[in-house]
Amino acid sequence: MTRLAVFDCDGTLVDSQSTICLAMQRAFDVVGVAAPGDAATRGIIGLSLPEAMSVLYPGGTPEEHDAIGEAYKAAFFDMRTQGLANHPLYEGIAEAVADLEARGWLLGVATGKSDRGLKAILDHHGLHPRFVTLQTADRHPSKPHPSMLDQAMADAGSSPATTAMIGDTSYDMAMAKAAGCAAIGVSWGYHNADQLIEAGADVVADHPSALVAILEALP
């Protein structure tokens, strides 16, 4: 039996909200549109850029959404190359990932980030070799569409019955349910426990140290 645990990135593996919020402010400034508040930006973390921009700037045209999205990517890249990007691992995540791997779980990531952005984070923290499947917005529709999980399961040779999605947003939970997988919410990210449960979370972990026991107890 192949067991697969798929992690979201921002808000689940790493706390990148300060960098994301600053890059978003810079992107809106570039195109001359009033920037959303940080709370609004945190609310869309996990969505792919086109969907995120349509939420943050609902009155904008598709062309304006594209322009803000490109400005966001440029701002984020500039911050990374200047050493200003801040995305620390949450305390206990590295240990939970290592423990799950040692117990025979295959590991994956499903994120609204780009391939380049995800690789930079995983390489920075030395986690890249632990994951057998990496799914990003470069190749898939935005969450909560199940495409990322469908491909992750195909890569790993797992099934919905033996796959769990671990994430901090309602988009992650809804994606898990759409794919028929277990939905494990985490309380240390950007959506609260009530939002996760409403979106279909089977359980919400309060700390990374709880993840192994939760996953090992799945049917």
Side-chain angles (χ1 to χ4, degrees):
M1 178 179 68
T2 299
R3 300 186 299 174
L4 175 64
V6 182
F7 288 82
D8 171 54
C9 183
D10 298 310
T12 302
L13 293 175
V14 299
D15 186 4
S16 49
Q17 62 177 305
S18 61
T19 303
I20 291 172
C21 289
L22 182 54
M24 195 66 72
Q25 290 172 8
R26 292 183 177 183
F28 273 78
D29 288 345
V30 164
V31 298
V33 177
D38 288 352
T41 296
R42 285 193 295 270
I44 56 81
I45 292 175
L47 293 177
S48 299
L49 278 177
E51 288 72 17
M53 297 312 169
S54 67
V55 172
L56 293 176
Y57 186 30
T61 65
E63 292 75 20
E64 288 173 318
H65 293 157
D66 289 344
I68 299 170
E70 290 303 314
Y72 172 83
K73 289 190 286 186
F76 207 106
F77 181 74
D78 287 346
M79 293 171 67
R80 184 185 299 124
T81 56
Q82 295 169 20
L84 301 177
N86 184 33
H87 40 67
L89 288 175
Y90 285 102
E91 179 184 358
I93 275 291
E95 293 81 1
V97 166
D99 196 355
L100 286 168
E101 185 181 43
R103 291 169 182 265
W105 285 81
L106 297 183
L107 305 175
V109 177
T111 175
K113 302 184 81 65
S114 66
D115 287 334
R116 181 176 66 182
L118 177 60
K119 183 179 186 301
I121 286 177
L122 296 182
D123 286 349
H124 177 76
H125 292 295
L127 290 178
H128 201 284
R130 296 196 180 278
F131 295 99
V132 302
T133 180
L134 301 174
Q135 305 304 322
T136 75
D138 286 344
R139 296 180 303 284
H140 296 282
S142 179
K143 298 174 183 179
H145 193 284
S147 176
M148 291 187 194
L149 282 178
D150 290 341
Q151 187 60 54
M153 289 187 285
D155 288 351
S158 66
S159 68
T162 60
T163 299
M165 177 66 206
I166 303 159
D168 69 300
T169 71
S170 56
Y171 317 124
D172 297 311
M173 301 301 96
M175 178 174 66
K177 290 305 167 183
C181 303
I184 312 301
V186 304
S187 66
W188 54 86
Y190 307 141
H191 288 186
N192 63 44
D194 288 342
Q195 290 174 289
L196 298 175
I197 292 169
E198 184 177 353
D202 298 306
V203 63
V204 177
D206 290 328
H207 189 274
S209 60
L211 287 174
V212 173
I214 289 171
L215 288 166
E216 288 286 281
L218 291 174

